[in-house]
Amino acid sequence: MATIPASTRMPTLDNWMTTDRSKSDIPAAAPLRGYQRLQTEIDAAIAEVVDSGWYVLGEACTRFEASFSSYLGVEGAVGTASGTDALEVALRALGVGPGDEVLVPGLTASATATAVVRAGARPVIVDVDPVSFTIDPEHAAAAVSGITKVMIPVHLYGHPARLPELTPIADRAGLVVVEDCAQSHGATSSSRKCRGRLPLFGLSSTG
């Protein structure tokens, strides 16, 4: 019977948990580094809100919404507790509910499909483009049915979805395009920042 050399075997969970990977692995994410770069500003902003005693909405939220909408070049922005909430609010505002289908990419955070389910609709998983990892226009067109109401392209890892191809598909089928921009702050598509018809920027919940 052939054997697999120990050096090429997949590590067991116990070995993986106890192995020092600090010098060999590239971390999937390093949010602490971003905080450390802006620690003074972040700590001051948090302290201001805590000292105000106003932890929901309030002046700080109003200032943020005004600043962010100006950054995007849009008339206004509304902050929510999370990207999931933002998606659900948008879907409910569009009247999406039981009996409706919503196209979502197969590679995204679970929140994209979760928001659809919370709105009472059915998420339809669409394969992604192997280059950009965003929703594939050809597969999206094939997934449209008579009860599809919305398409949610996700601009993933800072890569804008292929909107010039997706938008005509949605227009022909009478779908609303709700862009999930939670991972595309500052990314541009067709020489403008990703914001779309119904742009959604997810922020980490503190509650």
Side-chain angles (χ1 to χ4, degrees):
M1 179 183 295
T3 59
I4 301 174
S7 60
T8 62
R9 293 175 191 162
M10 290 292 290
T12 64
L13 180 59
D14 288 341
N15 289 340
W16 187 88
M17 293 292 288
T18 57
T19 300
D20 180 8
R21 299 179 304 281
S22 61
K23 297 181 180 179
S24 60
D25 286 2
I26 298 174
L32 179 60
R33 294 178 184 174
Y35 166 68
Q36 289 171 333
R37 284 198 301 270
L38 300 170
Q39 183 172 356
T40 301
E41 294 92 331
I42 292 173
D43 288 352
I46 293 173
E48 178 188 353
V49 172
V50 172
D51 291 344
S52 74
W54 199 338
Y55 309 136
V56 178
L57 302 177
E59 183 180 344
C61 181
T62 300
R63 289 201 311 268
F64 167 76
E65 291 171 342
S67 176
F68 199 48
S69 60
S70 175
Y71 170 74
L72 292 176
V74 297
E75 292 184 6
V78 177
T80 60
S82 68
T84 312
D85 286 350
L87 284 166
E88 183 182 357
V89 167
L91 293 172
R92 289 185 180 276
L94 292 168
V96 173
D100 296 330
E101 291 182 346
V102 177
L103 305 185
V104 300
L107 180 61
T108 180
S110 60
T112 310
T114 298
V116 175
V117 173
R118 281 174 29 174
R122 175 178 177 267
V124 176
I125 310 300
V126 179
D127 205 355
V128 297
D129 173 357
V131 176
S132 68
F133 302 115
T134 61
I135 192 168
D136 183 271
E138 184 176 343
H139 289 293
V144 175
S145 74
I147 57 174
T148 307
K149 300 297 183 184
V150 172
M151 177 193 301
I152 305 182
V154 178
H155 304 305
L156 197 62
Y157 310 132
H159 295 288
R162 293 161 58 182
L163 293 178
E165 297 164 80
L166 292 167
T167 302
I169 293 170
D171 289 343
R172 287 194 297 270
L175 310 183
V176 177
V177 176
V178 177
E179 296 176 42
D180 185 338
C181 306
Q183 295 193 38
S184 64
H185 300 73
T188 59
S189 176
S190 300
S191 301
R192 68 166 177 79
K193 291 185 177 69
C194 291
R195 61 193 189 203
R197 302 173 180 181
L198 282 174
L200 304 169
F201 286 82
L203 303 178
S204 298
S205 173
T206 57

